[in-house]
Amino acid sequence: MLWIMRFSGFFSAAMVMVVLSPSLQSFPPAEAIKSSHLDSHLRLSTSAHSFDRFYFRRAPVFRNAKECRLSELEKSGVCDPSLVHVAITLDVEYLRGSIAAVHSILQNSKCPESVFFHFLVPDMGLESLVQSTFPELKFKVYYFDPERVRNLISSSVRQALEQPLNYARNYLADLLETCVTRVIYLDSDLVVVDDISKLWSTSLGEKTIGAPEYCHANFTKYFTEHFWSNSRLSGVFAGRNPCYFNTGVMVMDLAKWRRYGYTRRIERWMEIQKTSISRIYELGSLPPFLLVFAGHVAPIEHRWNQHGLGGDNVWGSCRDLHPGPVSLLHWSGSGKPWLRLDSKRPCPLDSLWAPFDLFAHSA
């Protein structure tokens, strides 16, 4: 866990607790695409996409601490009930961020061998790169067809928010195995500086999703004047106390999600946006989530999503953190730490992302 202290208008990292404990037992990756005789850097190129410019150092091997729960299955697989499930999207544009996010989770987990990663991809071609960077990682890759949502997506304030992969989180209940009844969804532009099992163990009560809520934020700005002036639309929030939450960090009960058909509910609001005479929202994948879940979210401590470090959706200016404990740093917004570091114009807090960067060099 990271503690951020305010000092003379700046923030400094006062404490980073990293758990790296060895274990007497290890076991092979369950669902990974295996590769053989790869050296410490991989150059990958496929017929569909060129990944020549991506070189990643091989991560250290992270072992479970002695007190970690042993697998309940003879062969550890995706249905092992002792696993912590984490879902992350994986594409060329955010690949460097995704690799850093995985690295941060493993480095700060007491039981890294008990974390199973579910990667959502728009094309098949990155499995070997992941496997060479994390040779013993438990993971599985799921193809998300961009055409599934392309006709539902509306234009947004930033083109990056219009990418179909941003909507893949809506389909986790369909894509993942039915034996996976709970998952942590994480964006690709963040690092975890605490044990992910603490987030995993969060109680959702009767709710379907859990996330840090920000009830001080002006909730009305996430929807247009047309939406608020139409009682048939805005009435969806009647009897609810809706608060803003960021969908880049969520704990999701997939069993409840499947039972109540939340994917279709989200799609329905996207259809209304597309067919309405006037727009009901301007931001990409967030508003449909707010329409369905705001006011029905299990609250999670704010330390699990210190978001906005990428600035706003236009300028990407530098931001500060709130004082206090931080378990997750999130560069939501248009400014990404790897781009700012490469341009030699980083923000102060980008230095907290850099230690997890495994990017080696460009071709």
Side-chain angles (χ1 to χ4, degrees):
M1 183 170 60
L2 178 71
W3 286 79
I4 302 296
M5 309 295 290
R6 187 185 296 273
F7 183 74
S8 299
F10 294 93
F11 289 93
S12 61
M15 180 191 304
V16 180
M17 294 172 59
V18 180
V19 182
L20 291 174
S21 303
S23 173
L24 296 178
Q25 177 176 351
S26 63
F27 40 84
E31 302 285 346
I33 306 297
K34 297 182 182 298
S35 56
S36 59
H37 305 296
L38 293 170
D39 50 28
S40 60
H41 297 77
L42 177 73
R43 180 172 181 164
L44 176 64
S45 180
T46 70
S47 57
H49 292 277
S50 175
F51 304 119
D52 287 357
R53 60 194 174 96
F54 292 108
Y55 293 77
F56 290 95
R57 299 187 303 277
R58 178 169 292 178
V61 174
F62 298 98
R63 298 298 187 194
N64 282 358
K66 293 181 179 179
E67 61 267 31
C68 293
R69 180 181 177 188
L70 296 177
S71 171
E72 296 181 2
L73 300 181
E74 192 170 313
K75 180 182 178 182
S76 178
V78 68
C79 292
D80 184 343
S82 67
L83 294 173
V84 171
H85 294 275
V86 177
I88 300 178
T89 58
L90 203 65
D91 68 345
V92 173
E93 184 175 359
Y94 284 84
L95 180 60
R96 189 169 168 185
S98 298
I99 294 295
V102 172
H103 187 202
S104 71
I105 292 169
L106 296 174
Q107 183 168 313
N108 290 292
S109 293
K110 182 180 293 186
C111 306
E113 294 176 284
S114 300
V115 181
F116 194 104
F117 290 88
H118 304 263
F119 294 118
L120 311 178
V121 301
D123 53 72
M124 306 301 285
L126 294 173
E127 302 97 325
S128 296
L129 190 151
V130 173
Q131 180 61 28
S132 67
T133 306
F134 303 102
E136 300 198 26
L137 190 72
K138 292 182 175 62
F139 75 93
K140 187 171 181 179
V141 170
Y142 304 78
Y143 172 66
F144 177 71
D145 185 359
E147 297 305 316
R148 189 167 186 175
V149 294
R150 197 177 300 279
N151 292 332
L152 293 172
I153 298 175
S154 302
S155 59
S156 183
V157 295
R158 183 160 58 95
Q159 189 174 5
L161 300 177
E162 301 172 20
Q163 299 306 310
L165 199 59
N166 286 336
Y167 296 83
R169 73 196 86 189
N170 303 354
Y171 298 89
L172 283 169
D174 298 336
L175 294 170
L176 273 56
E177 289 78 358
T178 56
C179 64
V180 180
T181 58
R182 185 183 180 97
V183 70
I184 297 171
Y185 174 80
L186 298 176
D187 273 352
S188 299
D189 52 357
L190 55 77
V191 292
V192 178
V193 291
D194 203 347
D195 190 341
I196 196 72
S197 66
K198 297 177 183 178
L199 180 59
W200 175 257
S201 62
T202 299
S203 173
L204 300 184
E206 298 300 315
K207 303 295 193 299
T208 301
I209 67 169
E213 291 184 292
Y214 303 88
C215 295
H216 64 279
N218 180 7
F219 188 79
T220 60
K221 72 178 183 180
Y222 294 100
F223 301 95
T224 64
E225 183 179 343
H226 170 70
F227 172 85
W228 291 113
S229 64
N230 187 329
S231 60
R232 295 182 61 183
L233 296 172
S234 58
V236 68
F237 293 120
R240 293 158 63 175
N241 182 26
C243 295
Y244 162 74
F245 65 94
N246 180 280
T247 54
V249 179
M250 296 185 291
V251 180
M252 308 170 70
D253 185 327
L254 297 184
K256 286 193 178 76
W257 187 291
R258 295 176 181 122
R259 187 182 314 139
Y260 297 112
Y262 283 113
T263 295
R264 183 58 194 141
R265 297 190 194 188
I266 291 174
E267 287 180 333
R268 180 57 185 147
W269 280 110
M270 294 173 69
E271 291 169 354
I272 292 173
Q273 162 83 337
K274 290 286 285 188
T275 58
S276 179
I277 296 176
S278 299
R279 298 170 64 94
I280 63 175
Y281 57 80
E282 299 295 344
L283 289 173
S285 60
L286 172 63
F289 244 93
L290 295 178
L291 286 162
V292 173
F293 289 109
H296 299 307
V297 177
I300 291 177
E301 290 180 85
H302 288 176
R303 67 179 187 169
W304 284 106
N305 194 357
Q306 285 276 359
H307 67 289
L309 303 186
D312 59 27
N313 282 312
V314 178
W315 301 108
S317 54
C318 296
R319 294 278 181 87
D320 286 336
L321 286 174
H322 297 294
V326 178
S327 295
L328 185 149
L329 299 158
H330 188 185
W331 279 261
S332 58
S334 60
K336 303 307 174 187
W338 56 92
L339 297 178
R340 295 194 296 215
L341 287 164
D342 285 353
S343 69
K344 308 300 182 183
R345 292 181 296 177
C347 292
L349 290 174
D350 294 344
S351 63
L352 298 176
W353 180 89
F356 302 105
D357 184 19
L358 292 173
F359 188 70
H361 59 83
S362 299

